[in-house]
Amino acid sequence: MADRSSGRDHRAPGRRRILPGVVLGVLLLGAWAGIGAAGVLRADAPAASAPSKAYSTALPFDLPPTAELRRSEKLVFAHYFTPYPLSLDNEPADRDYYTRNYLTPHGEKGKHSAYGGLLRDRPLPAAPESGNWELAHLRQEIRTARDAGLDGFTLDLLSDSGRNRDRAELLLRAAQEEDPGFRIQLMPDMTALTSATPSSLADLLAELARSPSAHRLADGRLVVSPFKAEEKNPDWWRALMRELEARHGIRTALVPLFLDFTPDRDGYAAISHGLSEWGARSPDRQAGAVADAQRAHRLGKIWMHPVSVQDARPNQGVFDEAGNTETLRASWQAAIDSRADWVQLTTWNDYSEGSQVAPSLHNGHAYLDLSSYYLTRFKTGAWPRILRDTLYLTARVQFVDDLPPATLQPQVIRPREGTATPRDTVEVLSFLTAPAEVRTRTGTTAGSHRAPSGVHARLLPLRTGHSSATAVRDGTTTTTVTSRYPVRRPVDRQDLQYYAVTSGRAQR
C-alpha cells in the first residue's frame, strides 16, 4: 500500500474481517463502571449537559461545556467496534465472557491458545444490571464519550444481519435517547461486507439512517464513510449513491476512508464530500497523514484525520512501537498542524488491536483524558490553561525482548515492518501549573528531574517492579501517581501494550 507518486511507504495497520462466530452465543452489549464515573444512569438524564464537576477536576484543565465545544465546526469521532461492547453477558467481571474466554489462553475451547489469548485488556468492569442492561450500558458509553468532548462515534458496520447489525441499531437508539446531539457516523466495513452490492448496502444504510442520530450535514445529506473504500472503485460508490437517492430519497455525503490513500484519490474525490485514512501507529510516521490532508484540501475536500494511541495484535502476531504516549501526542499534533476538519480516534474499543482509547481495565481514563486536552485545542483553536498539576505514567509490564516459553505461546508477536524501533521505557508526562521537581522511582531506582510549567515528557529506563512519580513544589507534594501493574520477569505470555495511569483519578 505505497503512495506511488512519491515512493513513500505509509502502510496503515490493516484490519481483519470479523468471521462469524467470533462473538456467537454471546449476548449483545455491555458497559463499563468507570473510575470516577458520574453516578447511576437515569432514564431522564439531560442531553448535552456539562460534564460533572468530579469529571472536570480529574483533568489538568477545565474542559469547556459540551454546548461550547459543539459550536465548533471541527468534529471529533471515535471508531466504535461492535464485537467488543462493554459487557457481553451482564455477568460479574470475575466470571464474565471477557474473563472466561477472551483474556485467557484457554477460552473459547482453546482457539486462542497459540497466541496467549485473544485480548490483553478489557473495558472497565460493570456490575450486573436489571432491565435492558444493553441499552443502559450503551447510553453510559455515549455519556462517557460526550463528557470527554467527543461529538460522536464512527460506527463500524460489519454485517447486514445478526448480532453486529443489531448492536449498530441499538447504538443509534441509545444516542437518540441519551443525547440527541451525539452523532453516529455510518462506516460500512468493506473488509467484512465483501459480498455487498450497491443495492444491498443502500438498503442497510437506509434502514439505519431512519434514526435521527445518524450523522447528517447541515444540508441534510447522510454522511457515509466506508472503511477501506478502495475495495470498490468510484463507479461502485456512484451506484450506491444513486440507489440511496432513487430508492430511498437519501442524498449522500461520501467520506471514504482508505487503508492506502490510493493513487486514484482524484477519482474518489470527484464523488466525495471528504477523504480520510486509517493512519499509522508510530510517532515517527505521522508526516504522511499531514501530506495526505494537504492533498485532500487541495482537491477541495474536508479531511478526517486519524489519531491513535497504540496497536498490538496477538492474534495477528504484530505490534507497532507507540513510544509510550508519543504516538497519541504526535497524531493529535498532526491533526492540528494539518488543519484537519474532523478527527477519528482509531479506535474507541477494538481490544483485539490494542488500540482502545475508551476507559479500560489497564488504562483507566488516562488516554481519553489526554485526548480531551488536545481535542480542546483542536476545536477551540487555543491551548487550554493548566489549572491542576497532573502526572501521567505509561510503561509496558514486560520487556520487549522477553519471550514466553514456546509451550505456553508458540506464536509470538513481532514488530510491524517499518515501525519505530521498539524500546523499554517509562514515560512521565507532566502537566504543571508552574515548574516543579518530579521525583521518580522505577523499581528500586530513585531519581528526580526539574519539569517546566506546561506539558513535559521525561523517559526513564524500564525496570522490574512498580514505577511512580511525585510533583513537589516549594517542599509540598502537589500530586503523585503509581503504576497499578508491575513489570515482571519471566513472562508466560506477551503483552506489548503500554499501560497508563493518571494522578487525576483515584487508583484501584
Side-chain angles (χ1 to χ4, degrees), residues 3 13 53 62 98 106 193 225 239 266 297 327 337 342 446 505:
D3 183 339
K53 186 66 174 175
D62 285 343
Y98 281 109
H106 310 297
L193 299 171
S225 184
D266 290 7
H297 286 154
T327 291
D337 292 344
W342 301 349
R505 295 182 183 269

Side-chain angles (χ1 to χ4, degrees), residues 36-39 49-59 63 66 143 146-147 505:
S49 60
S52 69
K53 186 66 174 175
Y55 189 98
S56 295
T57 56
L59 304 175
L63 186 68
T66 301
R143 188 159 61 251
R146 186 272 314 281
D147 286 354
R505 295 182 183 269

Side-chain angles (χ1 to χ4, degrees), residues 113-116 120 314-317 404-406 408-413 494:
S113 60
Y115 38 86
R120 299 296 186 267
N315 64 335
Q316 295 184 47
L408 296 180
Q409 185 183 328
Q411 296 180 18
V412 297
I413 308 169
Q494 285 178 296

